[in-house]
Amino acid sequence: MTEITSLLRAAAGGENQAFDRLAPLVYGDLRRLARSHLRRLGNLTLLDTNGLVHEAWLKLQAHDGLDFPDRKYFLGFASRVMRATAINVARSRMAQKRGAGQVRLTLSTEAGHDIACDADEVLRIHEALQELAQVDQRLVSVVEMRYFGGLTEAEIAEALDVTERTVQRDWRKARLILLAALKS
């Protein structure tokens, strides 16, 4: 068991100091996730990488009783928290500014990492993911881990306890469903 895994288990067991000792061990990974989210958001938020990491960390600390079996599950949850924070920022910005131009969305981890989304697009992606969750929650997990979390197919397969081939099929299926939802 790694030090991160043991600290996650201790934090789940109620040891307050464990979460504090975990911070420096996962800070680099959280910054990488935050940079990825902010790159997609463009200028939608006043948060910088550190700001998003700190916002997410505060929300993670507030979730009592969560048990993460290892670093990958923790980072997957952290990525979802960051995405939720980004959605809230986008909703706030949309409440202030309506009618922004639409930008084409690329649902690929291989190309389009530097394409920024506008607030309307971020909300459309969020709503499409909610619709996808009604079809198959595992597909949402694959999208979150790959597109938002930056995990490889092998890491996703291990986290979900499925084969890499299943992850590849789920990724293709999720992209098709999301594309159809975003076009409507």
Side-chain angles (χ1 to χ4, degrees):
M1 180 178 351
T2 67
E3 183 179 3
I4 292 173
T5 303
S6 63
L7 287 172
L8 286 168
R9 290 189 180 162
E15 186 181 324
N16 296 331
Q17 307 301 330
F19 211 72
D20 294 334
R21 291 193 321 261
L22 178 67
L25 299 175
V26 296
Y27 192 75
D29 290 325
L30 293 175
R31 282 184 52 84
R32 179 182 54 83
L33 289 172
R35 274 193 304 274
S36 176
H37 285 287
L38 290 174
R39 197 171 34 242
R40 286 181 179 88
L41 280 175
N43 63 356
L44 285 181
T45 178
L46 299 176
L47 291 174
D48 60 358
T49 302
N50 289 334
L52 184 55
V53 168
H54 295 161
E55 285 288 325
W57 190 257
L58 291 172
K59 290 178 182 178
L60 287 168
Q61 281 182 317
H63 281 68
D64 290 333
L66 288 179
D67 187 14
F68 302 104
D70 61 21
R71 176 185 154 273
K72 289 177 191 156
Y73 281 96
F74 173 76
L75 291 177
F77 187 75
S79 181
R80 283 188 292 255
V81 168
M82 287 182 191
R83 185 173 68 97
T85 301
I87 295 298
N88 290 338
V89 168
R91 282 187 176 140
S92 172
R93 293 283 304 257
M94 286 300 293
Q96 297 169 4
K97 179 182 173 183
R98 298 279 181 200
Q102 294 185 8
V103 178
R104 183 172 170 84
L105 171 67
T106 303
L107 283 177
S108 170
T109 58
E110 297 161 5
H113 284 291
D114 296 327
I115 297 173
C117 299
D118 65 9
D120 184 48
E121 185 174 344
V122 171
L123 292 176
R124 287 180 43 230
I125 292 169
H126 176 67
E127 291 166 358
L129 283 171
Q130 287 178 327
E131 289 177 25
L132 183 61
Q134 294 173 358
V135 174
D136 188 342
Q137 183 59 43
R138 189 176 73 199
L139 296 179
V140 175
S141 296
V142 169
V143 170
E144 287 174 341
M145 288 182 198
R146 183 167 175 173
Y147 187 72
F148 295 105
L151 297 179
T152 66
E153 290 172 350
E155 291 171 327
I156 296 168
E158 183 182 332
L160 296 177
D161 196 28
V162 296
T163 65
E164 283 185 58
R165 182 73 180 122
T166 299
V167 171
Q168 292 167 354
R169 281 192 304 266
D170 285 352
W171 174 243
R172 278 196 309 274
K173 183 177 179 180
R175 282 184 12 205
L176 289 172
I177 293 170
L178 288 173
L179 185 59
L182 291 171
K183 283 185 177 181
S184 60

